[in-house]
Amino acid sequence: MANALAKNWRVIPLPKGELNLGKTLQSGQQFTWRKIECDGDTGIQGDGADIAWRGVLAETVWTLKQDGNEGNLLYMIHGPRRDGKIGSKRKRQDRTDLKRPCLSKRRAGCQGNSSVEDNIDSDYQSYDSIIKDYFQLDINLRQLYIEWSRADSNFAKIASSMPGIRILRQDPVENLFSFICSSNNNISRITGMVGNLCKTFGKKLLTVDAMDYYKFPNVAALAQHDAEKKMRDLGFGYRAKYIYQSAKILNEKGISWLHSLRQMPYKECQSQLRQLHGVGAKVADCICLMSLDKPSVVPVDTHVFQISSRYYMPNLRKQKSLTEKAYNEIGDYFLNLFGSYAGWAHSVLFTADLKNVS
């Protein structure tokens, strides 16, 4: 593996602080990336040089790595290269002042043969676009951190130890069914359930280093007549019914309906999502934030409720449980505090509160 990685790393230049790959992938947004060790000479220096992440994105197996010294994102594609099909362009009200200008490879501190880098195989251009869209690298995260730190002294205290945590722009279908699995669950069990969904209902793509990688199942597969029983046999419990029933609805509506919610105002989008089985306010808001281009949305769970009562809203300390009224108050509070990217700021606070993030 080491020689292959050294020869096949593709560099996405990034200023330091724009992405923390490990913390972002462990922040409870997505559940299929696996941490792996890079043994031997990978050509990468700095902290964490022996750690990489492998998973499936856009029906392709990727290995991701970060340059510990410079912060650049590196990736490797497994299997035969092909033109990537990139999803529809974002139609959202992005703040133009947060658009990060492209940096030259020299400014970003990349090393290598410039003549080779300037003649990149055209196949890689589509992969670059996919990974940039997935991590939303057009957003100037360092500027957001500055604004959030000015607005909130608590955020300022944790910002230095939690830099570069981004919201992923996921496929809405995978995001939906992954978060139906999240109901009354922890990250470890959700990861296992999503893995079983892929293995049981998805298409096998490749075996890499003795590990099989699968495409996330299509909606039709999850809507098969025996799908619910299979999921119950795998230990999904009541979530099996939710996934099956929602898959049937989505199979009838078509996935274009789900994608169309990206252009819909937040409240209407949330209302539409809540018509699906197993989708309450929190799950709907996770989908709005993580795949439907609603960066101001703040999903509220037990962690966020506790963070809110501990640092921001002392009036909540007398409440033993999260009510609908409190849910809405917390979301409004963070929106007023952090602005149009409140969901991103909330993710930093949430990740800082997790015990499994390293």
Side-chain angles (χ1 to χ4, degrees):
M1 173 183 167
N3 289 335
L5 284 172
K7 293 177 181 178
N8 291 281
W9 283 123
R10 166 74 168 152
V11 179
I12 303 293
L14 284 175
K16 197 166 186 178
E18 279 294 321
L19 172 66
N20 187 311
L21 181 62
K23 285 183 169 61
T24 296
L25 295 180
Q26 294 179 89
S27 63
Q29 299 181 55
Q30 213 274 352
F31 307 98
T32 60
W33 290 99
R34 295 168 174 165
K35 183 189 289 189
I36 62 173
E37 291 190 4
C38 301
D39 53 339
D41 181 16
T42 62
I44 304 168
Q45 304 298 322
D47 294 340
D50 58 339
I51 298 298
W53 297 83
R54 186 172 293 151
V56 175
L57 175 62
E59 302 182 24
T60 303
V61 180
W62 304 62
T63 296
L64 305 181
K65 181 77 183 76
Q66 191 156 26
D67 182 332
N69 290 332
E70 299 295 340
N72 300 320
L73 175 64
L74 301 93
Y75 72 81
M76 174 184 172
I77 297 296
H78 298 270
R81 286 186 292 169
R82 54 185 171 79
D83 289 331
K85 292 185 178 180
I86 303 165
S88 59
K89 296 290 184 180
R90 273 176 260 176
K91 296 181 180 179
R92 60 180 191 179
Q93 297 299 315
D94 278 331
R95 285 176 50 186
T96 56
D97 59 319
L98 288 175
K99 292 285 188 174
R100 188 175 57 77
C102 294
L103 298 178
S104 69
K105 292 179 177 64
R106 181 173 296 177
R107 277 189 60 195
C110 294
Q111 304 295 321
N113 187 321
S114 62
S115 65
V116 174
E117 291 171 349
D118 291 340
N119 292 281
I120 295 301
D121 201 338
S122 61
D123 287 348
Y124 270 113
Q125 294 178 12
S126 58
Y127 291 125
D128 284 359
S129 296
I130 290 170
I131 203 70
K132 288 176 181 178
D133 183 71
Y134 185 64
F135 285 103
Q136 307 198 70
L137 296 179
D138 58 328
I139 301 301
N140 189 333
L141 187 59
R142 292 181 303 169
Q143 180 60 37
L144 283 171
Y145 267 64
I146 291 171
E147 295 180 12
W148 297 332
S149 296
R150 287 172 180 166
D152 175 28
S153 59
N154 180 58
F155 187 95
K157 290 177 183 177
I158 68 171
S160 61
S161 62
M162 287 285 158
I165 297 173
R166 309 187 74 91
I167 292 294
L168 304 173
R169 190 178 192 245
Q170 300 180 51
D171 172 70
V173 173
E174 180 173 351
N175 192 207
L176 165 66
F177 290 108
S178 295
F179 274 87
I180 290 177
C181 293
S182 74
S183 175
N184 296 314
N185 222 339
N186 57 55
I187 290 177
S188 177
R189 288 197 68 221
I190 301 167
T191 300
M193 286 183 176
V194 174
N196 279 331
L197 276 183
C198 294
K199 186 175 181 179
T200 306
F201 300 99
K203 174 186 175 183
K204 181 179 174 180
L205 297 174
L206 283 176
T207 299
V208 183
D209 293 340
M211 184 73 70
D212 295 333
Y213 290 86
Y214 297 83
K215 173 188 172 185
F216 193 85
N218 59 42
V219 174
L222 297 175
Q224 294 177 97
H225 68 90
D226 59 346
E228 181 180 349
K229 181 181 184 304
K230 288 182 178 178
M231 285 184 277
R232 287 190 179 277
D233 291 343
L234 290 168
F236 280 64
Y238 63 87
R239 302 172 194 85
K241 182 178 181 180
Y242 290 158
I243 293 170
Y244 173 64
Q245 290 180 333
S246 289
K248 287 205 302 180
I249 293 172
L250 197 54
N251 204 35
E252 293 173 0
K253 287 179 174 286
I255 62 171
S256 59
W257 167 79
L258 187 58
H259 283 264
S260 73
L261 300 183
R262 283 178 167 167
Q263 283 75 57
M264 195 173 287
Y266 160 56
K267 284 296 184 183
E268 188 177 352
C269 179
Q270 188 203 53
S271 177
Q272 290 288 316
L273 288 170
R274 293 188 69 173
Q275 295 178 25
L276 299 172
H277 295 267
V279 180
K282 193 268 278 192
V283 170
D285 284 350
C286 286
I287 300 164
C288 284
L289 174 64
M290 300 170 192
S291 64
L292 297 180
D293 299 340
K294 309 289 185 283
S296 66
V297 174
V298 176
V300 181
D301 66 355
T302 301
H303 286 288
V304 178
F305 176 69
Q306 292 172 348
I307 292 168
S308 302
S309 62
R310 190 183 315 142
Y311 298 111
Y312 299 99
M313 305 172 69
N315 59 298
L316 297 175
R317 294 172 188 169
K318 296 180 181 180
Q319 292 189 203
K320 295 183 178 180
S321 60
L322 178 62
T323 63
E324 182 179 355
K325 179 183 177 183
Y327 186 102
N328 293 328
E329 287 177 348
I330 292 169
D332 290 342
Y333 181 93
F334 284 118
L335 177 60
N336 291 329
L337 180 62
F338 294 121
S340 58
Y341 281 78
W344 286 54
H346 130 279
S347 184
V348 179
L349 299 173
F350 176 85
T351 305
D353 199 57
L354 293 177
K355 296 179 180 179
N356 69 308
V357 175
S358 58

